[in-house]
Amino acid sequence: MSAAVPELKQISRVEAMRLGPGWSHSCHAMLYAANPGQLFGRIPMRFSMQMRFDGLLGFPGGFVDRRFWSLEDGLNRVLGLGLGCLRLTEADYLSSHLTEGPHRVVAHLYARQLTLEQLHAVEISAVHSRDHGLEVLGLVRVPLYTQKDRVGGFPNFLSNAFTSTAKYQLLFALKVLNMMPEEKLAEALAAATEKQKKALEKLLPSSS
């Protein structure tokens, strides 16, 4: 049975801007492109998407100090350090979610569809950005397909460790942008959860 796709509490941009000074704002960017290619000549790629690796997987971006920056200006400042060649605008805004836990953070996600050539150019630029090899350890592409064994590809990717709200934002964006049907998201999430469970069972001593 497929697991439900987890969600955080979504609020509007206007509501997010009305939150008091006790709230922190994080802004991240999802960059993707339609990809007509096929893996092994038979599995449709459909889309290519980037995420950032810094020990955990997440989208490029970071915290924005609302005392000094608008959401977009703050996001572009951070992107300039890690990607070096891209500026997003309010037109790219996708969502705001309240995070769970003791820290009061509202997570804003921006999304822009590029061409494959533009996506590749961002990857090249990122290697030469200021933070590459320091805080940012590289960009990775998200495999938005599932192989015949129902584990390879996206389910395997979901079994990795993600930073903060990144996993929720990834699943949310894929759903609302119609990049992957919700039932496929749920199936991939269930397969990833089962894989993590089996890996943990191998590490822990048997209770019998």
Side-chain angles (χ1 to χ4, degrees), residues 120-167:
H120 184 54
V122 170
E123 292 168 338
I124 294 174
S125 177
V127 175
H128 301 285
S129 67
R130 195 196 78 172
D131 283 352
H132 181 76
L134 299 171
E135 181 183 358
V136 180
L137 301 178
L139 295 176
V140 298
R141 290 200 181 187
V142 182
L144 296 176
Y145 53 81
T146 300
Q147 296 185 28
K148 191 175 181 179
D149 63 1
R150 298 186 179 182
V151 177
F154 193 54
N156 268 341
F157 186 82
L158 288 179
S159 67
N160 286 295
F162 292 77
T163 181
S164 186
T165 59
K167 191 171 185 178

Side-chain angles (χ1 to χ4, degrees), residues 98-121:
L98 299 180
T99 64
E100 298 176 339
H103 303 294
R104 304 175 79 188
V105 177
V106 54
H108 307 280
L109 183 64
Y110 292 72
R112 178 180 290 182
Q113 182 169 357
L114 307 173
T115 65
L116 275 176
E117 292 76 16
Q118 289 171 328
L119 198 71
H120 184 54

Side-chain angles (χ1 to χ4, degrees), residues 7 11-12 52 87 117 126 137 161 201:
E7 295 183 356
I11 61 174
S12 70
R52 183 186 72 178
R87 291 190 63 81
E117 292 76 16
L137 301 178
E201 289 173 348

Side-chain angles (χ1 to χ4, degrees), residues 6 25 32 42 52 77-78 80 86 95 103 105-106 113 149 151 155 170 174 188-189 195:
H25 295 259
Y32 66 101
R42 55 182 172 80
R52 183 186 72 178
R77 176 178 175 273
V78 179
L86 192 72
S95 64
H103 303 294
V105 177
V106 54
Q113 182 169 357
D149 63 1
V151 177
L170 171 62
L174 291 175
L189 187 63
K195 178 182 177 181

Side-chain angles (χ1 to χ4, degrees), residues 1 3 14 19 25 35 38 80 84 123 147 165 197:
M1 182 176 180
V14 172
L19 294 174
H25 295 259
N35 188 338
Q38 292 187 329
E123 292 168 338
Q147 296 185 28
T165 59
K197 178 182 176 182

Side-chain angles (χ1 to χ4, degrees), residues 13-30:
R13 179 190 172 94
V14 172
E15 290 172 321
M17 294 299 94
R18 290 175 179 165
L19 294 174
W23 286 86
S24 298
H25 295 259
S26 68
C27 295
H28 293 85
M30 187 187 94

